Amino acid sequence: MTMPPDAAEIQQLFDRIAPLYDRLNDSLSFGTHRIWKQMAVNWSGAKGGDRVLDVCCGSGDIALLLAEVVGKTGMVVGADFSAAQLEVARHRSYQQLRSVNWVQADALQLPFEDQSFDAATMGYGLRNLTDIPQGLRELYRVLQPRATVAILDMHRPQSAGMRAFQQWYLNTLVVPTAQRFRVKEEYAYIAPSLDRFPSGSRQVQLAQSAGFERVVHYPLMGGMMGVLVAQKP
């Protein structure tokens, strides 16, 4: 198993791919990533007037969906440690006339008070944290009692057939597409990151250890994607 990159390397990676991130996501998922992100928003339980946090917000897809849900009486904070990704997100929110507070922040040390948010989301961020249990503890800390977090990410499927299909997809579509955009090295990190990422059942255990209850992991796309949903007591 390869050693995971450190936080600085991950930050630099997402800074480099920021200008192409949205185009690549649309191309590589045939647009279906937007459906999965909407599912995460729905599972978060966010509603009108809520104060909601999207951690590892990237270029802002989920945060902008949340802004539509909470409306003018609510507030959305999009947090990411990549300044380049946040710049793309700011531009998109300006174009869409949706209000989001964009904050550069480390998911392992969130700059927010305890019990600050009514719901939270994270899309494709947990897998890239250098300390997943600490990231879950931070989400727990900043949520109000009875608030829910929904965490979307890629996974290694349990089925041998689906694992083989996923690897074929990565080798024949993801890496060559990234190569055409001249970011092959940046996207080659996906496969080893999946190998290191805890299974859905293990994520449930980690969330429970962080203090969450009513924890469920919902597999999507034959287990290639999944959403971890957890509630703070």
Side-chain angles (χ1 to χ4, degrees):
M1 183 178 294
T2 58
M3 291 295 293
D6 62 28
E9 290 173 327
I10 297 171
Q11 185 177 35
Q12 291 163 12
L13 184 154
F14 280 95
D15 280 341
R16 289 195 300 271
I17 65 175
L20 301 169
Y21 191 63
D22 290 326
R23 289 170 61 193
L24 276 167
N25 282 345
D26 277 329
S27 176
L28 295 173
S29 73
F30 306 102
T32 55
H33 71 101
R34 301 187 184 280
I35 298 172
W36 307 327
K37 290 171 179 175
Q38 183 64 63
M39 292 173 74
V41 168
N42 294 346
W43 266 318
S44 76
K47 59 188 184 302
D50 277 354
R51 180 183 170 98
V52 183
L53 173 65
D54 181 34
V55 182
C56 301
C57 66
S59 58
D61 272 356
I62 294 178
L64 291 169
L65 290 172
L66 288 167
E68 186 174 7
V69 171
V70 305
K72 293 182 179 180
T73 59
M75 188 188 79
V76 176
V77 176
D80 200 283
F81 69 169
S82 168
Q85 292 277 6
L86 288 171
E87 189 57 37
V88 174
R90 287 190 188 94
H91 182 67
R92 292 181 66 200
S93 60
Y94 175 78
Q95 287 182 317
Q96 296 182 24
L97 302 176
R98 294 185 187 175
S99 178
V100 178
N101 296 321
W102 305 106
V103 177
Q104 188 170 12
D106 183 349
L108 304 183
Q109 291 183 300
L110 293 171
F112 310 115
E113 297 292 329
D114 296 358
Q115 301 184 14
S116 297
F117 297 97
D118 301 303
T121 55
M122 181 186 287
Y124 305 109
L126 192 67
R127 178 167 43 88
N128 297 311
L129 298 187
T130 57
D131 187 339
I132 290 173
Q134 175 60 18
L136 292 170
R137 286 192 292 269
E138 276 294 273
L139 284 166
Y140 182 92
R141 180 183 66 80
V142 301
L143 284 173
Q144 292 271 8
R146 293 177 296 283
T148 297
V149 60
I151 301 172
L152 166 68
D153 220 313
M154 293 178 66
H155 298 76
R156 281 293 191 200
Q158 298 300 304
S159 156
M162 289 304 298
R163 286 175 72 93
F165 172 78
Q166 184 185 62
Q167 196 57 52
W168 173 86
Y169 167 80
L170 292 171
N171 292 340
T172 62
L173 184 62
V174 173
V175 173
T177 301
Q179 187 171 20
R180 287 199 298 273
F181 283 90
R182 298 185 179 181
V183 288
K184 177 182 177 181
E185 183 179 332
E186 285 80 356
Y187 270 75
Y189 88 99
I190 294 177
S193 75
L194 288 170
D195 291 335
R196 292 188 297 265
F197 196 40
S199 66
S201 59
R202 178 59 181 151
Q203 289 176 44
V204 169
Q205 294 173 351
L206 291 172
Q208 290 170 335
S209 295
F212 288 102
E213 61 179 22
R214 298 183 183 178
V215 186
V216 182
H217 184 270
Y218 297 97
L220 306 172
M221 294 289 291
M224 291 194 296
M225 300 285 166
V227 180
L228 179 70
V229 180
Q231 186 181 69
K232 182 173 179 176

